[in-house]
């Protein structure tokens, strides 16, 4: 990894956090935050669809750009809920070395246990 790239997510998260309180007329992040979760989720859905389409067209640069847009909008959603990239990285770290099949089964079992206690 190139020097400085490892901290990029944290720098972007700090910028998003700062821009949350800016004037929505001049800040895209502030405008999206002001509109609420539905607007953010709609934008994430649009970016996810564009990512899928880019993945199908075989243009690597297009794919990277669409994933960057998707990640950015996911980071806005995280910030709206007081979360950031470190929270996601911690979850990925927790899952490291665990089979995807086993991890999914553990989540399913945990949800089943929660339902039984209600």
């Amino acid at each position: 990894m190139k020097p400085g790239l490892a901290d990029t997510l944290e720098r972007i998260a700090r910028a998003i956090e700062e821009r949350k309180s800016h004037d929505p007329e001049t800040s895209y992040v502030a405008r999206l935050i002001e509109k609420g979760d539905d607007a953010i989720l709609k934008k994430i859905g649009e970016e996810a669809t564009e990512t899928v389409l880019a993945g199908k067209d075989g243009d690597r640069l297009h794919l990277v750009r669409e994933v960057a847009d998707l990640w950015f909008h996911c980071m806005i959603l995280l910030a709206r809920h007081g979360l950031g990239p470190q929270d996601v990285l911690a979850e990925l770290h927790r899952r490291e070395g665990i089979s995807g099949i086993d991890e999914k089964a553990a989540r399913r079992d945990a949800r089943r246990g929660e339902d039984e206690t209600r």
Side-chain angles (χ1 to χ4, degrees):
M1 185 176 301
K2 293 180 183 177
L5 288 181
D7 297 325
T8 300
L9 289 176
E10 282 303 320
R11 286 193 304 273
I12 293 169
R14 284 193 300 274
I16 290 170
E17 194 60 40
E18 176 189 319
R19 292 175 189 167
K20 282 173 33 178
S21 62
H22 284 194
D23 180 357
E25 294 296 318
T26 61
S27 169
Y28 174 77
V29 170
R31 186 177 320 141
L32 204 50
I33 294 280
E34 182 180 68
K35 289 180 180 180
D37 282 347
D38 286 346
I40 298 168
L41 295 170
K42 180 179 178 188
K43 190 64 183 171
I44 289 171
E46 291 169 7
E47 296 301 343
T49 300
E50 290 171 8
T51 299
V52 168
L53 294 174
K56 291 186 69 65
D57 79 10
D59 181 336
R60 292 166 46 114
L61 179 58
H62 185 205
L63 177 59
V64 166
R65 288 178 172 165
E66 293 302 340
V67 170
D69 289 345
L70 178 59
W71 286 13
F72 179 75
H73 288 89
C74 287
M75 289 177 69
I76 293 173
L77 179 64
L78 288 169
R80 172 144 168 87
H81 291 278
L83 299 165
Q86 288 301 322
D87 298 292
V88 177
L89 291 171
E91 176 61 13
L92 289 171
H93 178 75
R94 184 191 69 77
R95 294 181 187 185
E96 190 174 12
I98 300 172
S99 154
I101 294 169
D102 293 342
E103 201 281 329
K104 190 171 184 175
R107 279 188 283 152
R108 184 181 55 244
D109 292 346
R111 281 193 302 271
R112 194 174 301 133
E114 288 172 5
D115 291 343
E116 292 172 1
T117 60
R118 288 182 191 171

